[in-house]
Amino acid sequence: MAAQTIEGKAISAAVREEVRLEAQELSSAGVVPGLATVLVGDDPASSTYVRSKQRACEKAGIYSRDIRLEETTGEAELLATVENLNADPSIDGILVQLPLPAHINSRRIIEAIDPEKDVDGFHPVNLGKLLAGEDAFYPCTPYGITVLLERSGVEVEGTHVVIVGRSNIVGKPLAALLMQKRSGANATVTVCHSRTADLATHTRRADILIVAAGRRAFVTGDMVGEGAVVIDVGINRVDDPQAKRGYRLVGDVDYEGAAERASLITPVPGGVGPMTIAMLLKNTNRAARKRANG
Ligand code: NAD
């Protein structure tokens, strides 16, 4: 079987267009959605992510504030910045770019964000509500994966989803979302991790295989069941002197091998990646709508 590609770029563009129209509607009703990004230090990858989030806001008609702080910024100063944003009525969403420098306790910063403005969905209140099947901001990457599946026409209900990776930002919230009745997903979910015995036995049984292991081309074709849907969350840089930036991006799945057995597969880049920012914008609009509704 030669797999069809899931077009993350096109699906993300469609979501962003919906977000733009919604932001327009909110703005004409007097509520301009607003997102603040906070970057501490000048890590090049983090700066690139923040820049793309700012640019995406601009295109979507969402007001954005770009807060840059020195690498040496103390925890108290960062907490004060977050508190100011919590109190600022023109800001609906707050995103503190991770990772933070080692001298700052990230958990303490995330917990300081008002859960109603936590558009990244990492606050324990939102994670707890997600697990309990209540209304919450969903973390953007897992949320984006559910939208990718839905808009690619994949029927998730009743299927066996196998997730490789149990991180707090991808694997765990994704498992909660996909097993849920509230989200309409209703899948049976298996979560595999670094201590899982005989990983391939699990991955081969998946109707939908989602890989977020942070290891380049780690899932090979023989680990994929015939006709499975494969979602590759991985983003790994590989040096490539021929490439414009001196590197190229590859996923956690060996694309060629997996595509021979899968029915549908996401490419890297252009699969899950573009969905993450689209969902961040969608969450920001959602927070703004709550403000509009009082
Ligand atoms: P992480 O390093 O926090 O977690 C990796 C997980 O993989 C761990 O839970 C670990 O148990 C599991 N794992 C590692 N080795 C394994 C093995 N041999 N067998 C089974 N499981 C194993 O990673 P993360 O933050 O969840 O990110 C995963 C990947 O997704 C990375 O490549 C990251 O760059 C990418 N990512 C992409 C997006 C996006 O927007 N597309 C967002 C977040 C993360």
Side-chain angles (χ1 to χ4, degrees):
M1 178 176 293
Q4 279 190 333
T5 304
I6 293 181
E7 301 292 350
K9 257 190 177 163
I11 296 172
S12 156
V15 173
R16 287 204 211 186
E17 178 56 13
E18 290 160 20
V19 164
R20 191 184 68 77
L21 294 173
E22 196 186 11
Q24 209 170 48
E25 180 203 319
L26 282 162
S27 300
S28 19
V31 175
V32 180
L35 175 75
T37 57
V38 182
L39 175 64
V40 182
D42 52 9
D43 174 70
S46 294
S47 304
T48 309
Y49 290 142
V50 166
R51 221 180 7 258
S52 2
K53 287 166 189 171
Q54 290 284 332
R55 221 177 303 129
C57 280
E58 212 173 288
K59 286 190 186 155
I62 291 177
Y63 162 71
S64 65
R65 194 177 302 163
D66 184 4
I67 299 174
R68 308 268 171 144
L69 300 171
E70 296 287 328
E71 176 82 27
T72 51
T73 301
E75 197 171 290
E77 191 186 333
L78 183 55
L79 281 171
T81 304
V82 169
E83 287 303 335
N84 283 337
L85 294 169
N86 282 343
D88 189 331
S90 62
I91 297 298
D92 296 293
I94 303 169
L95 180 141
V96 177
Q97 185 64 45
L98 301 176
L100 288 167
H103 65 276
I104 295 177
N105 181 332
S106 304
R107 200 18 78 198
R108 213 170 282 154
I109 303 300
I110 300 297
E111 287 180 15
I113 297 173
D114 178 350
E116 297 286 316
K117 297 192 176 191
D118 170 42
V119 287
D120 240 352
F122 293 158
H123 192 288
V125 165
N126 280 311
L127 288 172
K129 284 184 173 177
L130 162 59
L131 200 57
E134 293 170 22
D135 186 33
F137 286 114
Y138 300 147
C140 301
T141 301
Y143 186 17
I145 292 168
T146 64
V147 173
L148 262 191
L149 289 169
E150 194 186 302
R151 299 206 181 185
S152 308
V154 176
E155 182 59 62
V156 177
E157 180 158 318
T159 60
H160 181 203
V161 177
V162 176
I163 301 172
V164 182
R166 59 176 164 187
S167 73
N168 288 337
I169 62 166
V170 186
K172 280 187 207 157
L174 183 59
L177 261 178
L178 290 174
M179 75 169 86
Q180 214 132 101
K181 194 171 170 187
R182 184 190 178 95
S183 63
N186 288 311
T188 301
V189 181
T190 298
V191 180
C192 302
H193 48 77
S194 50
R195 300 296 176 93
T196 297
D198 199 2
L199 180 67
T201 304
H202 296 284
T203 59
R204 273 190 218 114
R205 287 194 189 128
D207 299 311
I208 302 173
L209 175 61
I210 307 179
V211 188
R215 289 166 169 244
R216 164 157 60 107
F218 165 66
V219 166
T220 46
D222 60 316
M223 294 168 77
V224 175
E226 197 66 45
V229 174
V230 177
I231 306 289
D232 188 353
V233 188
I235 301 178
N236 307 285
R237 281 186 183 194
V238 178
D239 289 339
D240 181 355
Q242 314 271 299
K244 206 163 90 187
R245 293 195 178 88
Y247 66 85
R248 64 194 158 83
L249 299 179
V250 298
D252 289 352
V253 174
D254 163 30
Y255 183 88
E256 276 75 28
E260 280 177 25
R261 294 170 64 101
S263 56
L264 282 172
I265 187 166
T266 55
V268 177
V272 174
M275 294 305 292
T276 302
I277 293 185
M279 305 327 286
L280 174 71
L281 302 177
K282 203 170 162 72
N283 278 347
T284 303
N285 269 2
R286 187 153 170 253
R289 191 168 288 285
K290 281 192 183 175
R291 169 156 66 99
N293 294 339

